[in-house]
Amino acid sequence: TKMIFFIRTHALFHILVVLNIIPGNICINHEKDLRDEDVDKTWKVLMNGYDKAIRPNYTGDATMINLDMTVMRFGKLDEVNMMFTLDLFLRQEWIDYRLRHNLPEILTPNLGHDSPPDFIWTPDTVFLNAQKASSHSVTVKNSKLDIYPDGKVFWGLRVSVEANCLFDLRNYPMDTQACDLGIVSYGYTIDHLLYRWRNDPIQILNQNLSQYTLTGIENKTIVEQFSMGKFALLKAEFTFKRRIAFSILQIFFPCVAIVCVSWISLWLHKHCSPARVGIGVTTLLTISTIWGSVNRRLPNVSYVKAVDIYFMASFSFIFMTLIEYTIVLNGLKNFKKKFVMKNAYKEISKLSKRVSISLSIDKVKMPNMRRYSEPCRSSTSIIARYQRKSENSFLLDDANLSCNQISQKFYEEEFSEEEDILLLSKKEVAEKHPAFMKLYLELRKASIVDKISRILFPLLFICFNIFYWLKYNDNASPNKN
C-alpha cells in the first residue's frame, strides 16, 4: 500500500511539473559551484531536438505574450508624409516549457550578430502601421535573450520605427495630434497567440521635440477582425500638442505687421495715388507670398485650416484698404461731373481776399506762406483752407480746380499772414455763398471715409483676433482617427 501511494504521488508530481504548475528545477539539487562546462552542456541539451517552428503548447491554450516598451526618443513628426518616427526598446515575455533547465540562475546566451529566432521559437510580432522598421546592429545585434529555469523567455531588442499617423490639420497651428503604434501577430490568431500589456507598459526617456509637446500616453488591448480571422492587437497612443511660439514668430506676427503697414495709406492724402496704391499692392503681394510658403510645408488637404482663415482675413483687410481708396476717388470724380467748376470758382473768388489760399503742385503748401512763386500748370490744384479758430469756423480740405480757370494775376498777389484771415461761420457761408458751401460739403465726404476707416479697420481686426484665438484654442482637440 505504501509503495502504491509513493508511485502515485511521484507520478502526480511529474504531471504537475509538465503542466508548469510546479517548476521542474525544484526537484534538482544544485551544486554550489557552477562550472562553464555545465552551462555549455545545458545549452546544448536545450537546443538538441528543439523545433523552433512550433509554438509552445501548440495543441493547448494560446500562448500569452506579455509586452512593454521604452521609447528612447521621438523623431520627426512629418505632416507632409503623414508619419512619425520613434526609437524604442521592445520587450516580450512568454513561457516555453521546452526550455526549462536546472541551472541556478538565468541563462543569457550571447547571440552576437544572430537573433533569437535563429535558435528558438519567438512570436511573429509586427508593427501594424509601420512604413519602415529596422533593428540596430552596431556593434552587435541589439538583442537580449534570457531563459529562466522555469522556462520563461525574455526577449528584448532595440528598433526604429517610422509609422503612419493621420494628421488632422483643421486647427493648424493650434492643433493636437494623436499618433498610435499598433502591435500584432503576423500569422497567429487569438486561438494560438494572445498579447497583453505588462504593468507600466510604456515608458518615455526623452520627451523633447522641436515643435511638439507630449501631453498624453494611452495603451489599449483590443481584438481586431481581419480577413484571416481575429487577432490580438496592442495599441500605444501618443498625444502631441504643437508649440505655438514658432508659428507666432513666423506666421502671425508678420501678418499683423503687414496689415498694419497697409493702413498707413489711410493717413496719406487722397491725391497721393501712387503711394496709396503702391502700399496696398505691395502688402497684398507680401501676404500672398507668406501664405504660399506656409502651405508648401503642409500636405495638400481638401479642408480649410485655421491658418488659412487667418491669412484670408489678413488678405481681406488689406484688400479693403484698396476698396476704400477706390470709393474715395469715385466720390471726387462724381463731384466733378456734378458741379460746374466755373460756378464753384465764382463763389470761391469772392472770398479769395478774405481767406488764405494755398497752391499745390504735386504737394500741399502751408497756408501761411507769404508768396507763391510756383507757376500755374495744367495739373495744379488749388487748396483752399480755412484755419479752424473756433467752434463756428469750418475747414475746406481741398478742391480740384484747374489753373486755366484762375487768372495769373491772382497767383501774383501778396497774401497776408494768418492773423488777417477773416473767419466765417458755417451759417454765414451757407447764406451768402450756397455753391461754395455745397462744394465744401461734397469734398468733405471723401475725408470722412478716410477718418472712419482709420478707426473702423483696426477695431474690426482686433475683434477678429479675439474671436479667432478664443475659438481655435478651445477647438484644439486630438485627432482620434
Side-chain angles (χ1 to χ4, degrees), residues 74 204 206-207 209 212-217 238-241 243:
F74 290 97
I204 309 296
N206 189 354
Q207 299 185 11
L209 290 94
Y212 291 89
T213 301
L214 182 64
T215 58
I217 304 172
F238 308 97
T239 304
F240 304 95
K241 183 174 179 58
R243 296 176 180 175

Side-chain angles (χ1 to χ4, degrees), residues 53-103:
I54 305 299
R55 73 168 181 88
N57 196 23
Y58 190 87
T59 58
D61 295 334
T63 302
M64 180 64 68
I65 309 298
N66 300 314
L67 188 143
D68 70 299
M69 66 174 65
T70 299
V71 178
M72 299 290 294
R73 67 176 183 87
F74 290 97
K76 181 181 179 181
L77 274 71
D78 191 350
E79 298 93 347
V80 177
N81 297 317
M82 294 287 181
M83 55 175 290
F84 74 110
T85 306
L86 64 165
D87 186 11
L88 56 90
F89 287 110
L90 182 66
R91 294 179 288 268
Q92 304 175 76
E93 285 185 356
W94 67 92
I95 299 294
D96 191 344
Y97 68 91
R98 298 171 295 180
L99 296 178
R100 292 193 184 97
H101 58 81
N102 58 356
L103 296 178

Side-chain angles (χ1 to χ4, degrees), residues 259 263 310 313-314 316-317 320-321 452-468:
V259 172
W263 294 336
Y310 200 89
S314 301
S316 300
F317 275 100
M320 282 192 295
T321 59
I452 293 176
S453 300
R454 294 169 190 172
I455 300 175
L456 183 62
F457 284 8
L459 184 62
L460 290 177
F461 192 64
I462 292 173
C463 293
F464 163 74
N465 275 273
I466 294 174
F467 175 78
Y468 178 86

Side-chain angles (χ1 to χ4, degrees), residues 10-222:
H10 188 70
L12 179 61
F13 178 83
H14 282 282
I15 292 174
L16 295 177
V17 170
V18 171
L19 295 177
N20 198 28
I21 298 176
I22 299 178
N25 62 335
I26 64 173
C27 59
I28 301 175
N29 294 324
H30 303 292
E31 296 181 0
K32 294 182 180 180
D33 298 327
L34 184 64
R35 297 175 298 178
D36 292 341
E37 292 80 2
D38 297 333
V39 177
D40 183 64
K41 182 179 178 180
T42 302
W43 175 253
K44 290 180 179 179
V45 170
L46 292 176
M47 295 297 100
N48 186 24
Y50 185 90
D51 190 355
K52 62 181 181 181
I54 305 299
R55 73 168 181 88
N57 196 23
Y58 190 87
T59 58
D61 295 334
T63 302
M64 180 64 68
I65 309 298
N66 300 314
L67 188 143
D68 70 299
M69 66 174 65
T70 299
V71 178
M72 299 290 294
R73 67 176 183 87
F74 290 97
K76 181 181 179 181
L77 274 71
D78 191 350
E79 298 93 347
V80 177
N81 297 317
M82 294 287 181
M83 55 175 290
F84 74 110
T85 306
L86 64 165
D87 186 11
L88 56 90
F89 287 110
L90 182 66
R91 294 179 288 268
Q92 304 175 76
E93 285 185 356
W94 67 92
I95 299 294
D96 191 344
Y97 68 91
R98 298 171 295 180
L99 296 178
R100 292 193 184 97
H101 58 81
N102 58 356
L103 296 178
E105 58 185 45
I106 300 173
L107 179 59
T108 304
N110 185 3
L111 304 178
H113 286 284
D114 296 328
S115 57
D118 297 330
F119 304 96
I120 64 173
W121 178 90
T122 57
D124 55 345
T125 303
V126 296
F127 298 102
L128 184 62
N129 57 327
Q131 289 186 359
K132 295 180 182 179
S134 60
S135 59
H136 294 248
S137 57
V138 179
T139 57
V140 294
K141 199 83 169 181
N142 293 185
S143 182
K144 175 181 172 59
L145 178 64
D146 289 338
I147 301 176
Y148 290 78
D150 60 353
K152 183 174 71 172
V153 181
F154 171 86
W155 180 24
L157 71 159
R158 182 181 179 183
V159 294
S160 294
V161 182
E162 296 180 2
N164 295 326
C165 180
L166 299 179
F167 285 82
D168 187 352
L169 301 174
R170 287 181 174 85
N171 293 326
Y172 176 87
M174 287 79 67
D175 55 327
T176 301
Q177 303 296 338
C179 299
D180 59 71
L181 184 66
I183 300 174
V184 68
S185 171
Y186 187 82
Y188 289 107
T189 63
I190 57 176
D191 297 329
H192 292 275
L193 206 64
L194 293 175
Y195 285 93
R196 69 181 178 186
W197 291 106
R198 299 176 63 187
N199 295 330
D200 193 15
I202 305 173
Q203 302 174 4
I204 309 296
L205 296 185
N206 189 354
Q207 299 185 11
N208 295 328
L209 290 94
S210 58
Q211 296 188 33
Y212 291 89
T213 301
L214 182 64
T215 58
I217 304 172
E218 187 177 357
N219 58 83
K220 300 178 181 178
T221 303
I222 59 179

